[in-house]
Amino acid sequence: MKTLLITSALAASALAANGQSIKYPTAPKDATVDEYFGVKVADPFRPLEDDTCAATAAWVEAENQVTNAYLAKVPQRAKYLKRLKQVVNYEKVYTPFEKNGKWYVYKNNGMQNQAVLYQMDALGGAQRVFLDPNKLSDDGTVALKDISFSNDGKYFAYVISRSGSDWEEIYVMDVNTGKMLSDHIVWAKFTGVSWYDGGFYYSAYDAPEKGKETSAKNEVQKVYYHKMGTPQSQDVLFYQNPAYPLRFYSVSVNEEETMMFLYETGMDQGINIYVRNLRVPNSQFIQMTGDCSKNYSPVEIIGDTIYMMTNAGAPKYRMMVADINKPGYNDWKELVPESDAVLDNVTFVDGDKMVLTYKKDNCSQAYLYNISGKKIGDIQLPGVGSASFSGKRERKELFYSYTSYTVPSTTYQYDLATGKSTVMSAPKVSFKLSDYTSEMVYYTSKDGIRIPMFLTYKKGMKLNGKNPVLMYGYGGFNITYPPSFSAMRIPFLENGGVYAYVVLRGGGEYGEDWHLAGTKLQKQNVFDDFISAAEWLIGNKYTDNQHLAIMGGSNGGLLVGACMTQRPDLYKVCIPEVGVMDMLRYHKFTIGWNWAPDYGTSADSKEMFEYLKAYSPLHALKEGVKYPATMVCTADHDDRVVPAHSFKFAARLQECQAGQAPVLIRIDSKAGHGGGKPLSKVMEETADIYGFIMYTMGMKMK
């Protein structure tokens, strides 16, 4: 590789209305050329993949100087942050839950970086702090990822991540005394804690090479057993499968410690499950499922019966039951058949009852069943939005949280006898929720498919063709984003903005068929859906191409990158966040290989290589094109979608930009892919993004 040179000479950039040129830092380059099926593809910004080299570090610092200097002169940014600190500052109380005779609830007083876990002797009783994640770091960058109580009630394990990384650590404390114990696990990843016989199981990888913690490919995940009171060096390797290094493995044990499940994922769209009867001495795992393209999820165990949720034979999911004595899929029996809505979740409560939650047009519907699969009645929800239920088979209490685009998350207790919901905790906000409304509209995509879109805006909006609109989408991995409230959007909405969420193919909103219609050689459907939504908004006078912004994160960052390179004329502002931008090499970093079932890889076939290259945002950029104003967002500890994707895309976009619109890259520090990010950092990032959008569109802020 040639010696790398970088210049950090920066030009001060005036924010004139016509957009004065910015002098961007020169990115390190080399002469790398890859060959795919006889086709040579240059990758000149390959040096930016090495986030430990001095040249990359200098470029990152220089780019942040350019971005910070630009944003410092955006008047909307400071105003947005000031208003955020007002509208976000309200108490948030989450759904309570019971463990071993004690009650627990998460609560945020309004401006805390992380929610605090409180303990109560009885439901509604006096609250005392049980775990305050804000005390785990000075700046809130240590996030609580998961918790688990031992089945005997003695121990409490919690999983944390640092600076947004996917790498996880496990700590344990004594429930009765609150004393921290010596047990400490490092280099865990994508793990839970499953208790059994005085210890617990967890999933981990070998420690990575120093300096490569956030970029090295993760292979051969292992399941370990940790005995309480012993060092991690004595943990027993319980399971690994080196023959399949690119798969995930985990173990779970039910609370009664009668059954153990082994889960295998990463080889296709679904999962394989193995079960072991712990009541039988020296029992071995028996394979329950064999079609790894389908999803299977145990939701409850009663005696020998395993209640399962699956999309096998039912693209929109159904309930089935299996017997531990004959656990193979061919012996399962259907309990609740597939319906026209997508079965989303199952909650057992009060001994012999189940709450089945469905998604209908991405909004929640809930029904009460008995464990024989007979429907007992409907559960009336507060409105058209999303609900999440919480309960235990051993208890009569049933709770749910409800939210929508215009209703902050509110906790209800549901009375099984009367069918009535009672508010347990509702936020007291400092702005008028009644000022806003939300509607669902339908439009037709390029191939004639009907697509829903949610629009949220201030009442009284006029269809004048010039409203500022922010479109958001994801469209991948069977993931759904049901309606939910975010105070982060309020300053945009109260100043005349419209928030549009598009329900794209590739997600799970309408079941597995909808998901598969946006994968591999059908991925272009997702981009066409988003582009068609933009055209519909313009055609129906909501906005025009001078007042339309698009934003998305991760797979949604890919969405933004693909749409802005395919239709740069359609948008004023583009915000690709932590996006997958290099579709030819994504599978070579950390756990990128796990996305192959949705994307396919450049090594699969010449057809797949050509298809990926055609829409890959990095490779679709062309010199001489006027691209929209763009702010690429990433973070230094993102080991899910490594920053190299955003680095290379931003460097190439700056090189190609023929127009006057700015091309910035915002590189956050001590942050990762987004999960667990402290509130302070979320507000700063939100103010930067919305300030940039509003300034570019010419929006004034009160």
Side-chain angles (χ1 to χ4, degrees):
M1 185 179 291
K2 296 180 180 178
T3 301
L4 306 177
L5 301 174
I6 183 168
T7 62
S8 58
L10 308 176
S13 57
L15 298 183
N18 62 356
Q20 186 174 338
S21 296
I22 301 172
K23 185 175 181 181
Y24 300 108
T26 302
K29 300 174 76 172
D30 68 12
T32 297
V33 175
D34 295 315
E35 187 169 321
Y36 303 87
F37 300 97
V39 179
K40 293 184 178 181
V41 179
D43 190 10
F45 294 107
R46 180 67 61 83
L48 288 174
E49 290 184 1
D50 185 355
D51 57 0
T52 63
C53 78
T56 298
W59 179 83
V60 166
E61 181 181 358
E63 286 286 357
N64 269 338
Q65 287 182 35
V66 169
T67 299
N68 292 337
Y70 189 99
L71 293 176
K73 297 177 182 178
V74 172
Q76 291 89 336
R77 175 174 171 261
K79 291 181 179 180
Y80 206 99
L81 184 58
K82 180 180 178 181
R83 182 60 176 145
L84 270 186
K85 291 178 179 179
Q86 296 169 345
V87 299
V88 169
N89 191 11
Y90 63 88
E91 186 180 62
K92 304 160 191 74
V93 183
Y94 300 90
T95 307
F97 59 96
E98 183 269 342
K99 284 288 183 181
N100 305 113
K102 300 288 187 182
W103 285 87
Y104 298 86
V105 66
Y106 285 100
K107 188 167 66 175
N108 189 311
N109 66 17
M111 294 296 287
Q112 289 172 295
N113 277 318
Q114 309 284 350
V116 178
L117 181 61
Y118 292 85
Q119 185 188 64
M120 300 171 283
D121 290 327
L123 183 62
Q127 298 178 354
R128 53 187 172 269
V129 174
F130 186 72
L131 178 67
D132 185 355
N134 299 289
K135 294 184 177 180
L136 301 178
S137 62
D138 295 333
D139 55 6
T141 55
V142 171
L144 186 63
K145 299 290 290 292
D146 195 16
I147 64 171
S148 180
F149 290 85
S150 64
N151 299 318
D152 59 10
K154 291 182 180 179
Y155 306 116
F156 170 75
Y158 61 91
V159 183
I160 62 107
S161 70
R162 302 182 187 277
S163 301
S165 171
D166 278 337
W167 287 113
E168 296 167 335
E169 298 175 46
I170 303 172
Y171 291 88
V172 185
M173 62 184 273
D174 185 294
V175 171
N176 292 325
T177 67
K179 178 184 176 182
M180 294 301 302
L181 304 179
S182 61
D183 305 82
H184 179 212
I185 305 299
V186 297
W187 301 119
K189 200 173 219 186
F190 309 120
T191 189
V193 172
S194 191
W195 294 89
Y196 178 67
D197 192 27
F200 58 83
Y201 294 93
Y202 65 92
S203 302
Y205 288 96
D206 292 340
E209 178 186 346
K210 189 172 178 58
K212 297 294 184 181
E213 294 89 348
T214 60
S215 59
K217 192 174 184 178
N218 300 140
E219 298 182 289
V220 190
Q221 190 179 39
K222 300 175 173 68
V223 178
Y224 289 93
Y225 178 74
H226 174 80
K227 193 74 173 178
M228 287 298 297
T230 64
Q232 185 177 2
S233 59
Q234 293 181 16
D235 289 356
V236 176
L237 176 61
F238 178 75
Y239 187 84
Q240 67 170 333
N241 193 344
Y244 297 104
L246 305 183
R247 294 185 182 180
F248 297 118
Y249 294 95
S250 61
V251 160
S252 74
V253 179
N254 64 326
E255 288 188 8
E256 294 78 16
E257 298 189 1
T258 59
M259 292 189 201
M260 176 185 288
F261 296 93
L262 172 67
Y263 306 92
E264 178 184 41
T265 61
M267 56 288 190
D268 203 334
Q269 300 290 353
I271 186 171
N272 274 332
I273 299 182
Y274 305 77
V275 66
R276 179 181 168 201
N277 190 342
L278 297 176
R279 293 170 297 186
V280 177
N282 301 315
S283 62
Q284 301 298 309
F285 280 111
I286 300 173
Q287 187 167 354
M288 298 184 73
T289 64
D291 184 355
C292 56
S293 69
K294 306 303 180 187
N295 282 310
Y296 311 88
S297 177
V299 292
E300 187 62 84
I301 295 167
I302 303 176
D304 288 345
T305 303
I306 307 168
Y307 291 80
M308 305 286 293
M309 226 178 85
T310 180
N311 64 352
K316 295 182 178 179
Y317 289 85
R318 59 177 169 168
M319 279 281 289
M320 300 185 77
V321 290
D323 190 309
I324 186 62
N325 300 301
K326 296 181 68 177
Y329 176 76
N330 290 337
D331 290 311
W332 295 11
K333 293 178 173 57
E334 184 175 82
L335 185 69
V336 181
E338 181 184 29
S339 77
D340 61 344
V342 179
L343 180 60
D344 189 40
N345 198 22
V346 180
T347 304
F348 280 69
V349 67
D350 194 23
D352 62 349
K353 299 178 181 66
M354 307 182 295
V355 176
L356 272 61
T357 311
Y358 288 85
K359 288 192 295 280
K360 182 76 171 178
D361 293 327
N362 206 32
C363 296
S364 295
Q365 296 178 341
Y367 306 95
L368 198 61
Y369 282 74
N370 64 27
I371 58 174
S372 298
K374 180 181 178 182
K375 183 179 175 182
I376 301 172
D378 299 353
I379 295 179
Q380 190 68 39
L381 298 176
V384 179
S386 56
S388 178
F389 282 79
S390 173
K392 294 180 69 174
R393 182 169 57 88
E394 300 83 7
R395 305 196 65 92
K396 293 180 179 295
E397 296 92 352
L398 179 64
F399 312 96
Y400 67 90
S401 62
Y402 171 81
T403 184
S404 73
Y405 290 112
T406 58
V407 178
S409 184
T410 303
T411 301
Y412 291 84
Q413 184 164 1
Y414 183 80
D415 190 314
L416 290 163
T418 65
K420 291 184 178 180
S421 297
T422 304
V423 174
M424 290 190 68
S425 60
K428 296 178 176 62
V429 298
S430 60
F431 46 91
K432 290 179 65 176
L433 291 168
S434 59
D435 285 350
Y436 306 97
T437 187
S438 186
E439 63 173 328
M440 184 171 66
V441 299
Y442 292 92
Y443 67 92
T444 302
S445 190
K446 182 177 180 179
D447 60 355
I449 296 295
R450 190 170 180 250
I451 308 289
M453 175 166 51
F454 292 88
L455 304 174
T456 305
Y457 48 86
K458 195 171 184 178
K459 291 177 181 176
M461 179 196 67
K462 307 295 183 184
L463 294 178
N464 59 13
K466 296 187 181 300
N467 295 297
V469 173
L470 172 59
M471 278 176 56
Y472 194 94
Y474 188 81
F477 298 99
N478 201 30
I479 290 173
T480 63
Y481 283 84
S484 64
F485 180 82
S486 174
M488 300 291 172
R489 295 191 288 261
I490 290 295
F492 179 68
L493 297 176
E494 65 187 6
N495 284 279
V498 179
Y499 177 75
Y501 177 77
V502 192
V503 181
L504 305 165
R505 281 176 283 185
E509 294 86 354
Y510 292 99
E512 185 62 4
D513 293 342
W514 185 262
H515 166 217
L516 294 176
T519 62
K520 293 189 175 178
L521 296 175
Q522 299 187 90
K523 187 65 178 177
Q524 183 61 39
N525 286 337
V526 184
F527 313 138
D528 289 341
D529 291 351
F530 205 58
I531 290 169
S532 296
E535 292 173 334
W536 186 92
L537 287 165
I538 293 171
N540 286 271
K541 302 297 183 183
Y542 281 87
T543 191
D544 61 15
N545 65 358
Q546 295 302 301
H547 297 88
L548 180 58
I550 58 174
M551 182 165 69
S554 194
N555 176 72
L558 162 63
L559 170 74
V560 172
C563 290
M564 67 177 283
T565 53
Q566 293 181 19
R567 288 295 306 276
D569 60 302
L570 205 51
Y571 325 102
K572 184 70 173 177
V573 191
C574 298
I575 312 290
E577 299 181 282
V578 292
V580 186
M581 299 307 204
D582 184 347
M583 296 306 297
L584 301 186
R585 288 177 55 77
Y586 75 83
H587 55 294
K588 295 180 179 293
F589 304 98
T590 59
I591 52 90
W593 47 263
N594 185 50
W595 314 330
D598 247 52
Y599 295 150
T601 76
S602 56
D604 289 349
S605 66
K606 185 175 183 180
E607 181 186 25
M608 184 61 75
F609 152 68
E610 291 173 344
Y611 191 86
L612 289 168
K613 183 176 180 294
Y615 76 74
S616 175
L618 174 65
H619 301 92
L621 289 167
K622 296 180 176 61
E623 294 184 16
V625 175
K626 294 181 179 180
Y627 288 102
T630 303
M631 185 158 70
V632 181
C633 298
T634 187
D636 60 355
H637 281 69
D638 189 350
D639 46 8
R640 184 84 56 85
V641 179
V642 295
H645 284 278
S646 294
F647 290 177
K648 291 162 66 174
F649 181 76
R652 177 61 175 158
L653 180 57
Q654 289 174 349
E655 186 178 72
C656 290
Q657 176 66 295
Q660 293 294 307
V663 175
L664 308 177
I665 179 169
R666 184 187 188 279
I667 306 163
D668 208 349
S669 62
K670 295 189 74 175
H673 200 59
K677 186 177 291 188
L679 179 62
S680 57
K681 279 187 169 291
V682 173
M683 290 194 298
E684 290 169 2
E685 182 180 32
T686 301
D688 286 353
I689 290 172
Y690 277 91
F692 180 72
I693 290 171
M694 295 174 76
Y695 170 79
T696 306
M697 289 183 176
M699 286 180 70
K700 294 182 179 180
M701 190 166 177
K702 298 174 185 176

